[in-house]
Amino acid sequence: MQNIETDYLVIGSGVAGLRAAIELAKKGSVLIATKDAPKESSTEYAQGGVAVALSDEDEVGIHFEDTIKAGDGLCREDAVKVLVEEGPSRILELIEWGAEFDKEGAKLDFTIEGAHSRRRVLHSHGDSTGRELERVLTAKAAQLKNIKSLAYCTALDLIVDGGVCRGAYLLRGAEVVSVTASATVLATGGAGQVYSRTTNPAVTTGDGIAIAYRAGALLEDMEFVQFHPTALFAPSAPQFLLSEAMRGEGALLRNIQKERFMQDYHPDKELASRDIVSRAIISEMVRTGSNHVYLDLTHLEAGFIKKRFPRIYTTCLRYDIDITKEMVPVSPAAHYLMGGVKTDLNGATSIAGLFTAGETACTGVHGANRLASNSLLEGLVYGYRAGAAASALSSRSSAPVPEYITGKADAKEGNRIEETRSIIRRLMWDKTGIIRCGKSLSEAETVFAGLKPLLHGKPASRRAVELVNMLTVSMIITRAALLRKGSIGAHYRSDCKEPGTDWQNHVTISRESFFGL
Ligand code: FAD
Ligand code: SIN
């Protein structure tokens, strides 16, 4: 087994991984390992924008209040304070590095999304904000001699010795290589792919969370999965996101009888927080016996729509939907994981030498429900912080790295992997979805129990590795959802609709505490 030595290892090349790497490069050599093409990430597809208190009408204190309110009482206040206070510097720095945000005349243009009380969401090229962040951060990293990248390398597991993380094993083609480092930053994004309906790209299979869990790290808030209200619902079209910024600019929701309905669910109507809008859509779908509702922009001026949402406009046209002329069929889809690997304010996990940032991490900023467009900001602020803190570590062990022996793939393995991935995705959607209850969650656990032997193999291909990680994360989300016997934020249980007396407690799970795995 080849061993690669580097001062710092970053796993993942989205906003959080890149921002961490740029900070780490100030102190030593950095290797960024990523399992697909370097830009393939949720970051690349982020549409609506990045929230930051920089407009004349806004203040960090108001951004703080809105974030706390959306999080339904479960945000970590010190983490939110860091996010909103440091956010402006991280964005101004990005602009200095060449980021172009849309402007109205000479001034930055801010849009509004659900649960924001001010226009504070910066956007780029209309609806391609994430692509702009990814472009600028990739270019910045490429200028730094200390940073090297390994694409198409899938992280398998961490190398942990005496409770200290020393790096990770990677699958490069069919070969396992080890990378040893003084500090490792896991920034592998979220886990949307565990649901059959998701806005997330194929790379988001919860790998970093499962990897950290196997190494013994503490996870928190895993029951909180955010479902985005408006993903395209059309035969043979992908579950493409229709940005919440569209509702911010005046788009309306209508049921299949073409009637508006959000006024019956919340005074903020289409701009209520995501959990409320997603559940309202589900109720309306059940009430009208339909599998979708409509997003209606037809009352907005066509030229404005094409200029403001160019990527969404052209993507929908590819599926013969002209959003300027007809209502778009939509329904909710899994979008974002509030929970993850528990960290302190500097991205440090419960394992020495291991840091996480971005959607893999649970810094506590999102509580029970993330405020729209706060995650790109979190990736920048906490990616920077994790990088800065990890760069303080400088001792790399020279002890030999134990071999990592993978299992042997047989001819039928491909089918088995795809069948099982599909079982998990459907099960999570049906039983651990937008509305769950003790019975549905227990049914999911029963099926998972039958799949548990899969967790004991050492998979030999990326698809097989992802399957093990998807199963691990699905079991943890389901268990956390069973443990929280009350409804709050994005976690809604039809068998206990009130928050419950101990609602302020966070659900934490670790390998030691979760005997089911
Ligand atoms: P990602 O950007 O997902 O990057 C993860 C990286 O890890 C990728 O490079 C991936 O290939 C790599 N990786 C994964 N597993 C492995 C492994 N085993 N080994 C090696 N590499 C691995 N948020 C906002 O704030 N504003 C928005 O407008 C917005 N719009 C969104 C639109 C869409 C369609 C989606 C899906 C999300 C959106 N979000 C938005 C959420 C936001 O984009 C993500 O939360 C954020 O980009 C996550 O960044 P990250 O760096 O943590 O992970
Ligand atoms: C969107 O554009 O609706 C996504 C914004 C987000 O997830 O923060």
Side-chain angles (χ1 to χ4, degrees):
M1 185 176 65
Q2 185 197 351
N3 183 56
I4 301 170
E5 292 188 349
T6 181
D7 292 321
Y8 306 108
L9 171 63
V10 174
I11 303 174
S13 53
V15 58
L18 289 170
R19 190 60 194 85
I22 291 166
E23 223 40 43
L24 286 162
K26 292 178 181 163
K27 293 287 177 62
S29 58
V30 183
L31 182 69
I32 305 177
T34 193
K35 77 172 166 186
D36 207 288
K39 290 191 176 170
E40 192 55 22
S41 59
S42 288
T43 303
E44 178 71 8
Y45 298 98
Q47 293 181 354
V50 51
V52 63
L54 277 175
S55 83
D56 296 342
E57 66 172 52
D58 203 6
E59 291 168 21
V60 290
I62 308 176
H63 189 186
F64 175 87
E65 289 302 331
D66 287 353
T67 302
I68 298 281
K69 199 168 156 208
D72 238 350
L74 279 174
C75 297
R76 259 183 73 182
E77 294 200 357
D78 52 354
V80 178
K81 199 160 175 291
V82 165
L83 178 82
V84 298
E85 284 180 353
E86 296 185 9
S89 311
R90 295 282 76 80
I91 294 293
L92 293 173
E93 165 186 81
L94 211 62
I95 292 174
E96 227 170 84
W97 294 346
E100 289 179 12
F101 292 107
D102 298 334
K103 290 188 173 160
E104 193 62 55
K107 282 184 140 185
L108 288 169
D109 184 38
F110 295 87
T111 192
I112 193 161
E113 291 179 277
H116 287 271
S117 66
R118 294 289 188 280
R119 293 183 78 87
R120 69 162 67 89
V121 179
L122 282 177
H123 44 93
S124 191
H125 307 288
D127 51 6
S128 290
T129 315
R131 184 179 284 176
E132 180 65 2
L133 261 63
E134 189 72 23
R135 179 188 74 76
V136 170
L137 291 169
T138 305
K140 178 75 185 168
Q143 287 164 10
L144 302 174
K145 283 202 304 287
N146 264 348
I147 299 184
K148 291 202 166 41
S149 293
L150 265 184
Y152 300 101
C153 278
T154 303
L156 296 167
D157 270 312
L158 297 171
I159 305 164
V160 182
D161 189 1
V164 179
C165 177
R166 296 180 50 206
Y169 297 101
L170 309 179
L171 188 65
R172 185 172 61 185
E175 171 205 22
V176 178
V177 295
S178 58
V179 180
T180 46
S182 308
T184 300
V185 180
L186 269 174
T188 59
Q193 283 295 325
V194 304
Y195 286 94
S196 56
R197 262 190 81 69
T198 182
T199 62
N200 287 194
V203 291
T204 53
T205 46
D207 295 4
I209 296 168
I211 287 170
Y213 170 83
R214 283 195 290 274
L218 211 57
L219 309 184
E220 194 161 84
D221 291 348
M222 290 292 289
E223 68 275 33
F224 295 119
V225 177
Q226 182 170 76
F227 294 86
H228 197 292
T230 55
L232 185 59
F233 187 91
S236 71
Q239 295 151 12
F240 180 71
L241 182 74
L242 282 106
S243 175
E244 190 157 312
M246 299 178 110
R247 279 174 281 134
E249 301 291 355
L252 302 172
L253 286 167
R254 297 186 186 277
N255 62 25
I256 47 151
Q257 283 134 16
K258 317 277 165 72
E259 299 156 341
R260 284 186 72 186
F261 56 86
M262 275 312 300
Q263 69 283 354
D264 299 337
Y265 293 90
H266 197 273
D268 292 340
K269 301 177 196 150
E270 277 81 358
L271 288 181
S273 62
R274 277 184 191 168
D275 56 323
I276 291 167
V277 181
S278 289
R279 285 197 296 275
I281 290 175
I282 295 292
S283 298
E284 211 58 20
M285 281 165 31
V286 170
R287 198 180 68 74
T288 58
S290 171
N291 51 15
H292 63 277
V293 295
Y294 291 110
L295 187 68
D296 181 10
L297 292 96
T298 55
H299 53 290
L300 302 178
E301 212 259 311
F304 168 75
I305 296 173
K306 290 182 200 174
K307 180 160 178 274
R308 182 65 185 79
F309 302 108
R311 194 170 175 184
I312 300 174
Y313 171 70
T314 45
T315 304
C316 288
L317 269 185
R318 276 186 212 131
Y319 301 97
D320 300 324
I321 300 169
D322 182 343
I323 63 172
T324 67
K325 297 203 176 96
E326 56 201 309
M327 294 193 287
V328 194
V330 293
S331 79
H335 183 62
Y336 185 86
L337 183 61
M338 269 72 76
V341 184
K342 185 176 165 61
T343 70
D344 68 8
L345 297 183
N346 294 311
T349 69
S350 55
I351 298 179
L354 178 67
F355 296 76
T356 72
E359 204 169 327
T360 306
C362 180
T363 57
V365 294
H366 307 303
N369 190 32
R370 175 179 65 99
L371 184 67
S373 287
N374 260 355
S375 46
L376 290 177
L377 192 70
E378 187 195 19
L380 289 171
V381 168
Y382 283 95
Y384 161 85
R385 282 188 152 242
S391 74
L393 302 186
S394 58
S395 76
R396 193 171 58 229
S397 154
S398 53
V401 177
E403 285 288 316
Y404 188 98
I405 313 287
T406 57
K408 292 256 176 296
D410 65 45
K412 290 195 191 122
E413 193 189 59
N415 280 352
R416 263 204 310 268
I417 291 170
E418 299 313 323
E419 281 160 12
T420 317
R421 283 174 71 125
S422 173
I423 289 170
I424 294 171
R425 288 159 53 81
R426 287 175 196 224
L427 194 68
M428 286 296 283
W429 184 257
D430 290 341
K431 309 287 184 191
T432 312
I434 302 176
I435 298 176
R436 42 306 271 255
C437 65
K439 183 167 174 283
S440 70
L441 295 166
S442 301
E443 283 166 3
E445 284 214 324
T446 305
V447 178
F448 291 143
L451 298 175
K452 254 167 56 181
L454 276 175
L455 300 174
H456 305 301
K458 290 259 190 209
S461 69
R462 170 173 153 184
R463 293 294 283 181
V465 169
E466 290 175 341
L467 169 63
V468 170
N469 293 334
M470 287 166 68
L471 176 58
T472 305
V473 169
S474 298
M475 291 175 79
I476 294 168
I477 294 174
T478 304
R479 176 54 64 93
L482 262 170
L483 290 173
R484 181 171 286 283
K485 294 188 179 62
S487 295
I488 188 154
H491 172 70
Y492 186 82
R493 279 187 55 163
S494 57
D495 55 343
C496 22
K497 295 181 182 159
E498 296 305 316
T501 45
D502 54 356
W503 65 271
Q504 275 174 313
N505 296 341
H506 290 268
V507 174
T508 52
I509 287 186
S510 70
R511 194 168 187 160
E512 285 70 42
S513 70
F514 190 6
F515 296 112
L517 271 182

